Amino acid sequence: MMEVGPQIRAVEQLIGILDSVAGDAKRPVALHEPEFAGREWEYVKDCLDSGWVSSVGSYVDGFERQLAEITGARYAVAVVNGTAALHVALRVCGVQPGDEVLVPTLTFVATANAVTHCGAVPHFVDSEERSLGVCVPTLGRHLREIGERTAQGLRNRKSGRRIAAIVPMHVFGHACDMVELVELAAEWGLPIVEDAAEALGSYLHGRALGTWGRVGVLSFNGNKLVTTGGGGAVLTDSAELARRLKHLTTTAKLPHRWEFVHDEVAYNYRLPNLNAALGCAQLERLPDLLERKRRLAAAYFDAARGNDDLAVIAEPAGCRSNYWLNAVRLTKCDEPTRDAALKMVNDAGFQCRPLWRPMHRLAMYAECPRATLPVAEQIAASVINVPSSAALAPRLHDDLI
Ligand SMILES: *Cc1c(COP(=O)(O)O)cnc(C)c1O
């Protein structure tokens, strides 16, 4: 029998916290549920009534305008999902077949898959405890060890391949240290493709996540803060890149009243108008969603206060997080005890889940180049997500009146 004393205590504390925050909710309590409390029905019905459901229609333009306004990006290009958004974002930043792209091992598989879709190879880097995102000082040391400056750019001395870009990912809406990363990337001449799929409505030093890199990517999948059913977007301040993104995602069709002429092999990655209509209604309610997400996070912090066997993950300094998913770190936890804890809380009716299995431990990515990844391993073994729907936010006095 394994020595699990402190872990058992942590699980008991965890159940206590879940009971105090979400105990009144109907079981099972979902990890994250979408909410359609605005004009979703009206806008979708308008699409059906007008017949503009697919590749033409005004909701796509409106959705892109709203996204640009919210994030402060000059341009937003709506696409069919976040993975497709990452794929074209990498392409317009110059990622070529045979290149390597720096990616945190602690991410959703889409980040690495998008690199592979470019014919490139993900090169996994470590994360840091505080933000759960890319650890910039460790990355700097790694690049000094393996990096070589050549006329074609940065080269991995060990593999011989060009390193073409870096993709930081803002885990659960919490910002990576973008100030330091922008500096490091500039030093090595690397474009930043920001995976802000989980971070719509998050800010670092007052600047929206997704607008720190050359391009930034958002997702509107069903489990994200704001959903279009399925959808994504690429943000950029560059008119040239925005034009290029639009072209690549719309089969590279040249504008003409009736002729079909295409000037390169491209993608059908355009977001249908029907999905954009849903998105327009969702975005109208973003401020309210964000306010309740932060209130829910505050409730978790309150409930966890004084417990020393676990800690709720907090937004890093300078970051105003959207708290898309709340996360709890079980201190001194290994994978078997984490799994025992997950079984207990799920049995108790609270949908909780571990982080993603680190990419370098997935069969298809096991042979990829990588840095040492001790912190990512530790985070993956000890952090779990807890129910985070905005509807779970404790009511304010005003709500009760
Ligand atoms: C959701 C997500 C994506 C994109 O996912 P899609 O389902 O394709 O929209 C990419 N990266 C991360 C980190 C995500 O969480």
Side-chain angles (χ1 to χ4, degrees), residues 175-188:
C176 303
D177 189 345
M178 291 307 292
V179 176
E180 296 272 316
L181 186 66
V182 163
E183 208 170 287
L184 183 71
E187 186 191 324
W188 289 96

Side-chain angles (χ1 to χ4, degrees), residues 81-83 86 107-108 110-111 169 195 197-198 219-221 224 231:
N81 58 54
T83 311
L86 277 168
T107 186
F108 176 56
T111 321
M169 195 278 270
D195 185 345
E198 308 183 351
S219 165
F220 307 105
N221 191 32
K224 297 300 200 293

